[in-house]
Amino acid sequence: MAFQILLNVFLAFLWMFLQVSFSARTFIIGYLLGLIVMIGMRRFFNGRFYLHRVWAVTYLFLLFLKELIKANIDVLKLVLRPKLNIRPGIFALETELKSDWEVTLLANLITLTPGTLVVDVSDDNKTLYIHAIDIGDVSEAVDSIKNSFEKAIMEVSRG
Amino acid sequence: MTAISEVLIAALLLIGALLSVIAAFGVIRLPDVYTRNHAASKSATLGVMCILLATFLYFLVEDGLFSSRLLLGIAFFFITAPVAGHLISRAAYNSGVKMWDQSVRDDLKDKNR
């Protein structure tokens, strides 16, 4: 992916030199033209075209924001409710993610989502220990984490 | 300064302050370290981010000043706050702080067996 971005920047510089005009505007035009050329040539690249991954990162960020706002509304309701009606506990979550940065990202996402907080990560990076504020529906929480976050992170890291 | 941005900035400031109050209230009211950490790490994060965003918008609209430091502050807070929450609760667990007596389940207990 880094190679594709580098190639695109190189094409933009080539356009600047062809135009003999070294401004940000020429660079942007050259970048967009280079993008069109690269889309035309995309079957010669090994991995995916890099815009897919840029889109995946954007999607992950928006998901992050949405979950953060939802989490805050949840905490607000919980704290302001007259009777404390919670059943906290720690449950284990098996994750399929491999590399360190993926697990870090998943842990951050879980910490900022409604009702969950990562307490520990096992030494082999396979299990996350999560403190839930209301553990009544663990399987549901696990499902939603697996389906939304893990998938979104995998979409980013897929080659 | 147009009416729309005025309302938006005021709303963001108030929401941020409200969330900070709720975070403080939750820290007082919830029963143990872990549940308090929920309130502190979530509400405080979004509260500070809202206030910083309102400050950024205010200076942008009022003075035409694009303060990139505030944006960087938002980004850093977004990244570091959950890590801080995680580390505090991990340190608490490892040094043997008990969970609330009505906690129902503890899978982490089996980890070091």
Side-chain angles (χ1 to χ4, degrees), chain A residues 72 79 81-82 90 113 120, chain B residues 29 42-43 86 90 104-105:
Chain A
N72 275 280
V79 168
R81 203 179 290 153
I90 294 179
T113 51
D120 208 346
Chain B
R29 187 162 179 232
K42 289 181 186 99
S43 303
H86 162 64
R90 184 166 185 266
V104 285
R105 187 167 162 179

Side-chain angles (χ1 to χ4, degrees), chain B residues 84-96:
Chain B
H86 162 64
L87 281 180
I88 290 170
S89 53
R90 184 166 185 266
Y93 196 92
N94 285 345
S95 55

Side-chain angles (χ1 to χ4, degrees), chain B residues 46-68:
Chain B
L46 193 63
V48 172
M49 277 168 62
C50 280
I51 291 173
L52 284 178
L53 190 63
T55 319
F56 172 76
L57 286 178
Y58 176 79
F59 282 110
L60 188 65
V61 173
E62 184 84 335
D63 299 345
L65 183 74
F66 188 89
S67 171
S68 52

Side-chain angles (χ1 to χ4, degrees), chain B:
Chain B
M1 195 150 155
T2 60
I4 298 174
S5 63
E6 238 170 49
V7 169
L8 186 68
I9 291 168
L12 275 175
L13 268 181
L14 283 177
I15 291 172
L18 184 73
L19 284 172
S20 302
V21 167
I22 287 168
F25 195 52
V27 168
I28 295 171
R29 187 162 179 232
L30 290 171
D32 69 352
V33 167
Y34 308 101
T35 45
R36 283 175 180 173
N37 217 335
H38 277 278
S41 66
K42 289 181 186 99
S43 303
T45 310
L46 193 63
V48 172
M49 277 168 62
C50 280
I51 291 173
L52 284 178
L53 190 63
T55 319
F56 172 76
L57 286 178
Y58 176 79
F59 282 110
L60 188 65
V61 173
E62 184 84 335
D63 299 345
L65 183 74
F66 188 89
S67 171
S68 52
R69 281 180 201 170
L70 286 168
L71 289 185
L72 270 185
I74 293 175
F76 283 143
F77 210 82
F78 196 49
I79 298 169
T80 53
V83 179
H86 162 64
L87 281 180
I88 290 170
S89 53
R90 184 166 185 266
Y93 196 92
N94 285 345
S95 55
V97 176
K98 292 269 188 300
M99 294 206 293
W100 190 35
D101 48 6
Q102 291 183 32
S103 304
V104 285
R105 187 167 162 179
D106 190 359
D107 287 350
L108 185 51
K109 196 169 58 198
D110 306 331
K111 182 195 162 197
N112 298 320
R113 226 173 23 188

